[in-house]
Amino acid sequence: MASWRFLACLGVLSAAAVHAHGGLMETQSYTSRRGHPEDQVMGFSRGTLISRDSGSSWRWVCAEAMGYGSWTPERYVWLSSGELLTATGKVLLRSRDGGCSWAPSPAFQDAWVTSLAEHPTDDTVLYVATGRPAVSNLLYRSEDGGETWTPTPLKRDAVFSTVRVAPSDPKRLYVSGWMGYAMYLFRSGDAGQTWEDLPRAFSGPLEGAYDLKLLAVSPAHPDVLWVRVSSLRAAGNIVYTVLRSDDGGRTLTSVLEVDEPLVDMDVSADGQTAWVASYTRLYRAREGEPFLPLPLPTGNACVKRESGALYACGSTWLHDWALARSTDEGNSWEPLFSLREVQGVHQCPAGTPVSGLCTPLWPQLAAQLGAPVSPAPPDAGTPGEQPPPKSEGCGASAGSAGMAPLLLVTLLSHGRLRTPGSCCRGRSGRC
């Protein structure tokens, strides 16, 4: 186990193209509330950003109020009931009041919650995988929106990295995991009552492969899925490989190799187009074609397909948007949000953690982002409101002095060196 951790950190430190989260503050994910598209949430390297007006305005929830420490949330689920859940890799956090207060689920105690997945049509049905090293881990199922959890029969002495539900067949579940250099992929066809341990049959040589993680299951075909593995090469660098299976995970074929960690993936409703986000780029492949990088975004990326559109994270510091939407599969982008447009702290009642902990921290963050320091009026978040004007150039923003050294390094090198700590706390996994 120790050797795997060392190799993972070594690879992250030696990568040539380094992700934005090692230095600049960036967005990390995008999710909307089921049945209520006006409610949206973005993962952020300093907490969470929330919009209650279809993205017209965004406000900040600080990490201190959420209480997740260095265990950054990788995936949010916003239930139709209005409750928010996220798995941080350490705990399952839940907010019952729209993000104003957060509490860890008491169901897991010392178990580390690594992955959260929802049923495609019934969000009272949820799944959670645990992944604490050196102990037995389990997959849990909830049928009441996460209020209570029941363990499924899947229990292994392995770190479970991801659970996914096949959108076209909710009874089909997949769970990925690892233990040292051993990699695992499990499949269930009856909503988790029985499980098949799938062989790790790669179509080509992947020397030094480890850390298998499930990325996505096709919305159209429950047997089509994609996984990611990391491989330590003889030169000492780490290559990240996306593999596709067309037979329910029995065999896997390499379809993409990159030299930086992969963040997430999404697939079109018909299963014919797939997008993979690395820390700095977005790749697209149509059926029968190879993955190719899209011109944008650069410097920071995530991807989410929703309601016929594609949403992507971007870098405010490189191309002036942190979230954009595409209606042509990523050929062109409509900027939706820049970090300079954050409108202050999420509006919460006095006495809530967000009000008490985030409010005194906002002036410093606003200065770093170049966002308005004074909170907007209470009605500023209503639909139809015009967003604040964007800053014109680095010197025009209040936060340009604080961001200039980092931005200069970024533009000169087109890459950012990670600190040893960031390789153990970033989205690539925990060392």
Side-chain angles (χ1 to χ4, degrees), residues 36-115:
H36 297 268
E38 70 276 10
D39 291 340
Q40 303 169 12
V41 59
M42 280 192 289
F44 177 49
S45 50
R46 287 286 302 276
T48 296
L49 300 172
I50 292 179
S51 174
R52 307 303 298 264
D53 54 14
S54 301
S56 295
S57 64
W58 290 87
R59 292 179 173 272
W60 179 51
V61 174
C62 60
E64 291 80 357
M66 298 179 69
Y68 63 71
S70 61
W71 299 81
T72 307
E74 295 187 355
R75 181 180 177 88
Y76 290 82
V77 171
W78 200 331
L79 304 179
S80 58
S81 65
E83 298 189 18
L84 271 162
L85 294 95
T86 183
T88 71
K90 181 68 178 295
V91 297
L92 178 67
L93 288 175
R94 186 185 197 100
S95 175
R96 301 181 184 275
D97 55 7
C100 290
S101 58
W102 299 77
S105 171
F108 304 103
Q109 298 184 7
D110 293 333
W112 291 4
V113 179
T114 53
S115 185

Side-chain angles (χ1 to χ4, degrees), residues 25 46 60 358-370 373 398-399:
M25 289 176 285
R46 287 286 302 276
W60 179 51
C358 304
T359 301
L361 299 175
W362 169 246
Q364 180 181 6
L365 181 67
Q368 292 174 330
L369 297 178
V373 177

Side-chain angles (χ1 to χ4, degrees), residues 104-323:
S105 171
F108 304 103
Q109 298 184 7
D110 293 333
W112 291 4
V113 179
T114 53
S115 185
L116 169 67
E118 70 270 41
H119 188 283
T121 59
D122 181 2
D123 65 7
T124 64
V125 179
L126 302 169
Y127 295 90
V128 152
T130 67
R132 184 164 187 166
V135 300
S136 294
N137 288 289
L138 298 94
L139 180 76
Y140 294 83
R141 174 184 170 99
S142 174
E143 297 184 355
D144 54 13
E147 295 290 346
T148 60
W149 297 90
T150 302
T152 72
L154 183 60
K155 180 179 181 180
R156 296 290 191 279
D157 291 334
V159 173
F160 291 156
S161 55
T162 308
V163 55
R164 290 288 182 267
V165 185
S168 61
D169 180 5
K171 292 186 177 181
R172 177 71 66 86
L173 308 179
Y174 293 95
V175 173
S176 60
W178 54 266
M179 174 61 74
Y181 280 96
M183 295 174 288
Y184 300 94
L185 187 60
F186 307 99
R187 182 179 69 191
S188 173
D190 53 12
Q193 296 304 307
T194 60
W195 291 89
E196 180 181 1
D197 189 342
L198 299 169
R200 277 70 62 197
F202 303 139
S203 61
L206 281 173
E207 297 181 3
Y210 62 92
D211 187 28
L212 185 145
K213 182 173 182 178
L214 179 64
L215 290 176
V217 181
S218 170
H221 308 287
D223 285 337
V224 178
L225 59 100
W226 292 261
V227 303
R228 178 222 71 193
V229 296
S230 307
S231 301
L232 180 65
R233 299 300 169 88
N237 63 308
I238 289 182
V239 172
Y240 302 87
T241 303
V242 177
L243 303 109
R244 171 174 168 151
S245 175
D246 293 302
D247 55 8
R250 292 187 178 279
T251 58
L252 298 163
T253 302
S254 175
V255 293
L256 174 66
E257 286 190 356
V258 296
D259 60 357
E260 61 177 343
L262 300 169
V263 177
D264 58 14
M265 179 177 182
D266 215 333
V267 186
S268 62
D270 61 6
Q272 297 297 302
T273 306
W275 298 268
V276 173
S278 73
Y279 273 139
T280 65
R281 302 299 298 270
L282 186 60
Y283 299 83
R284 182 185 65 198
R286 296 188 174 96
E287 188 69 25
E289 298 177 356
F291 276 95
L292 296 174
L294 296 173
L296 287 173
T298 58
N300 182 52
C302 73
V303 63
K304 179 68 178 292
R305 180 190 61 83
E306 193 170 274
S307 301
L310 195 68
Y311 294 82
C313 299
S315 177
T316 296
W317 323 112
L318 293 179
H319 45 65
D320 206 34
W321 50 263
L323 179 70

